[in-house]
Amino acid sequence: MRRNIQRPIHQVFNDGFLYYGHDETQRNSTGKRIGDKFIQNGMLAYQLMDGREEDYEMANTQGNSLDLKVKTPFPPSFYNVPKTNLKVYIEDIEYHVITVDFDRGRRFLFFYLQEVGVADE
């Protein structure tokens, strides 16, 4: 008799929350650049993923190093987020987004992240 292995009904994203957004240039009254400020576009729960060899090679061909790969649900609002210069904060650590990929059914996002450092805020 075959034993039925139950598959999970839904994905569990219980490793934490990530905050994604962009840096906006701050200027003084004369127009001189005085710094950058992180503008948060949203927050997503995530699940840590293991990087595959193909993921590391993809990051190396772009001149980056893959430090973290996370999986999140695909929110409909993410269609309107510009993907260039996207930044992510996880537990007060800033990450540069190398690329964002999605699955065939557009249910999940995969963030490929390179660590920048500890947040200044």
Side-chain angles (χ1 to χ4, degrees):
M1 179 178 265
R2 275 184 84 192
R3 180 178 158 202
N4 285 337
I5 299 174
Q6 291 185 344
R7 295 183 182 163
I9 296 172
H10 56 81
Q11 293 284 325
V12 178
F13 301 100
N14 59 357
D15 288 330
F17 290 96
L18 64 84
Y19 303 92
Y20 63 90
H22 297 85
D23 279 342
E24 184 176 277
T25 302
Q26 299 294 308
R27 300 190 183 275
N28 63 10
S29 60
T30 61
K32 184 177 179 183
R33 183 177 183 259
I34 57 174
D36 293 328
K37 181 180 178 187
F38 180 71
I39 305 299
Q40 180 180 331
N41 291 65
M43 176 180 78
L44 295 169
Y46 71 88
Q47 174 185 8
L48 292 172
M49 302 289 293
D50 291 329
R52 303 171 301 168
E53 187 63 33
E54 295 87 13
D55 300 334
Y56 289 104
E57 289 174 8
M58 179 268 308
N60 285 335
T61 58
Q62 295 181 2
N64 298 309
S65 65
L66 180 64
D67 294 325
L68 193 63
K69 178 180 176 183
V70 295
K71 178 180 180 180
T72 67
F74 194 137
S77 63
F78 200 76
Y79 285 110
N80 301 328
V81 175
K83 311 300 186 285
T84 58
N85 300 327
L86 195 61
K87 293 196 179 220
V88 166
Y89 282 90
I90 298 176
E91 298 174 1
D92 292 332
I93 298 176
E94 180 182 348
Y95 292 93
H96 165 70
V97 177
I98 300 169
T99 188
V100 180
D101 200 7
F102 51 86
D103 66 331
R104 184 182 296 184
R106 292 185 187 243
R107 293 179 51 215
F108 305 111
L109 290 172
F110 298 93
F111 286 85
Y112 298 89
L113 306 172
Q114 179 179 8
E115 185 174 337
V116 176
V118 179
D120 296 333
E121 298 173 44

